PDB file of all heavy atoms in Angstrom:
ATOM      1  N   ARG H  73      16.996 288.882  57.968  1.00 96.00           N
ATOM      2  CA  ARG H  73      16.827 287.705  57.119  1.00 96.00           C
ATOM      3  C   ARG H  73      15.400 287.570  56.618  1.00 96.00           C
ATOM      4  O   ARG H  73      15.149 287.065  55.519  1.00 96.00           O
ATOM      5  CB  ARG H  73      17.221 286.451  57.905  1.00 96.00           C
ATOM      6  CG  ARG H  73      17.163 285.154  57.082  1.00 96.00           C
ATOM      7  CD  ARG H  73      18.101 284.107  57.659  1.00 96.00           C
ATOM      8  NE  ARG H  73      17.812 283.763  59.034  1.00 96.00           N
ATOM      9  CZ  ARG H  73      16.964 282.801  59.422  1.00 96.00           C
ATOM     10  NH1 ARG H  73      16.327 282.071  58.514  1.00 96.00           N
ATOM     11  NH2 ARG H  73      16.787 282.541  60.699  1.00 96.00           N
ATOM     12  N   ARG H  87      29.550 295.317  68.220  1.00 95.00           N
ATOM     13  CA  ARG H  87      29.725 296.591  68.929  1.00 95.00           C
ATOM     14  C   ARG H  87      28.438 297.052  69.599  1.00 95.00           C
ATOM     15  O   ARG H  87      28.465 297.571  70.723  1.00 95.00           O
ATOM     16  CB  ARG H  87      30.222 297.656  67.950  1.00 95.00           C
ATOM     17  CG  ARG H  87      30.492 299.029  68.607  1.00 95.00           C
ATOM     18  CD  ARG H  87      30.895 300.072  67.591  1.00 95.00           C
ATOM     19  NE  ARG H  87      29.803 300.395  66.667  1.00 95.00           N
ATOM     20  CZ  ARG H  87      28.873 301.314  66.930  1.00 95.00           C
ATOM     21  NH1 ARG H  87      28.895 302.002  68.055  1.00 95.00           N
ATOM     22  NH2 ARG H  87      27.918 301.553  66.058  1.00 95.00           N
ATOM     23  N   PRO H 127      15.828 297.906  72.387  1.00 96.00           N
ATOM     24  CA  PRO H 127      15.778 297.070  71.186  1.00 96.00           C
ATOM     25  C   PRO H 127      16.074 297.865  69.923  1.00 96.00           C
ATOM     26  O   PRO H 127      15.917 299.088  69.896  1.00 96.00           O
ATOM     27  CB  PRO H 127      14.314 296.594  71.177  1.00 96.00           C
ATOM     28  CG  PRO H 127      13.561 297.749  71.800  1.00 96.00           C
ATOM     29  CD  PRO H 127      14.497 298.313  72.844  1.00 96.00           C
ATOM     30  N   HIS H 178      28.956 305.450  45.599  1.00 96.00           N
ATOM     31  CA  HIS H 178      28.308 306.229  44.521  1.00 96.00           C
ATOM     32  C   HIS H 178      27.335 305.348  43.737  1.00 96.00           C
ATOM     33  O   HIS H 178      26.258 305.814  43.337  1.00 96.00           O
ATOM     34  CB  HIS H 178      29.369 306.800  43.588  1.00 96.00           C
ATOM     35  CG  HIS H 178      28.812 307.713  42.540  1.00 96.00           C
ATOM     36  ND1 HIS H 178      28.156 308.892  42.823  1.00 96.00           N
ATOM     37  CD2 HIS H 178      28.784 307.589  41.169  1.00 96.00           C
ATOM     38  CE1 HIS H 178      27.760 309.472  41.714  1.00 96.00           C
ATOM     39  NE2 HIS H 178      28.127 308.707  40.701  1.00 96.00           N
ATOM     40  N   PHE H 235      36.926 306.147  58.707  1.00 74.00           N
ATOM     41  CA  PHE H 235      37.879 306.010  57.613  1.00 74.00           C
ATOM     42  C   PHE H 235      38.899 307.130  57.567  1.00 74.00           C
ATOM     43  O   PHE H 235      40.035 306.963  57.114  1.00 74.00           O
ATOM     44  CB  PHE H 235      37.122 305.892  56.292  1.00 74.00           C
ATOM     45  CG  PHE H 235      36.549 307.164  55.786  1.00 74.00           C
ATOM     46  CD1 PHE H 235      37.210 307.921  54.820  1.00 74.00           C
ATOM     47  CD2 PHE H 235      35.325 307.647  56.245  1.00 74.00           C
ATOM     48  CE1 PHE H 235      36.701 309.103  54.331  1.00 74.00           C
ATOM     49  CE2 PHE H 235      34.802 308.823  55.772  1.00 74.00           C
ATOM     50  CZ  PHE H 235      35.478 309.571  54.809  1.00 74.00           C
ATOM     51  N   GLY H 264      20.202 325.813  46.358  1.00 96.00           N
ATOM     52  CA  GLY H 264      19.187 325.025  47.050  1.00 96.00           C
ATOM     53  C   GLY H 264      19.691 323.684  47.522  1.00 96.00           C
ATOM     54  O   GLY H 264      18.913 322.826  47.940  1.00 96.00           O
ATOM     55  N   LYS H 305      23.109 332.691  70.666  1.00 83.00           N
ATOM     56  CA  LYS H 305      22.013 333.666  70.585  1.00 83.00           C
ATOM     57  C   LYS H 305      22.211 334.809  71.585  1.00 83.00           C
ATOM     58  O   LYS H 305      21.869 335.946  71.304  1.00 83.00           O
ATOM     59  CB  LYS H 305      20.692 332.968  70.829  1.00 83.00           C
ATOM     60  CG  LYS H 305      20.254 332.055  69.704  1.00 83.00           C
ATOM     61  CD  LYS H 305      19.011 331.250  70.046  1.00 83.00           C
ATOM     62  CE  LYS H 305      18.653 330.278  68.933  1.00 83.00           C
ATOM     63  NZ  LYS H 305      17.496 329.447  69.282  1.00 83.00           N
TER      64      LYS H 305
END
Side-chain angles (χ1 to χ4, degrees):
R73 184 154 59 90
R87 182 183 66 87
H178 185 63
F235 75 98
K305 289 174 184 177

